[in-house]
Amino acid sequence: MRRSSRNRIYPTGDSARAFLTSSPRFTGCRIVAYERATDGGQIGMPDETHRRVTISSPFGKRPSA
């Protein structure tokens, strides 16, 4: 069984770049997917677009046995 933990944040457009720059330095995460313009209806904002960024972080992962 594969577990997936999904936490979402919704930074404003002007703070997204700062988050994506500082987060990997602080947490050791890495960006694994980046979509520049996805359907805003997926997050309750129809007729708009948003960026979707998927990151992978070592936080909360169990060590391999």
Side-chain angles (χ1 to χ4, degrees):
M1 184 168 129
R2 184 174 168 215
R3 289 187 66 188
S4 175
S5 173
R6 301 208 181 234
N7 293 316
R8 296 180 182 190
I9 63 165
Y10 299 96
T12 59
D14 57 343
S15 66
R17 179 173 291 186
F19 172 79
L20 292 174
T21 302
S22 65
S23 184
R25 287 192 301 238
F26 175 72
T27 66
C29 71
R30 62 187 182 92
I31 297 171
V32 295
Y34 182 86
E35 298 174 70
R36 183 172 291 281
T38 59
D39 179 21
Q42 297 172 350
I43 60 169
M45 299 174 73
D47 302 322
E48 294 188 28
T49 60
H50 71 280
R51 287 187 232 184
R52 179 182 299 154
V53 180
T54 305
I55 60 174
S56 177
S57 172
F59 283 109
K61 291 186 179 177
R62 295 180 187 175
S64 299

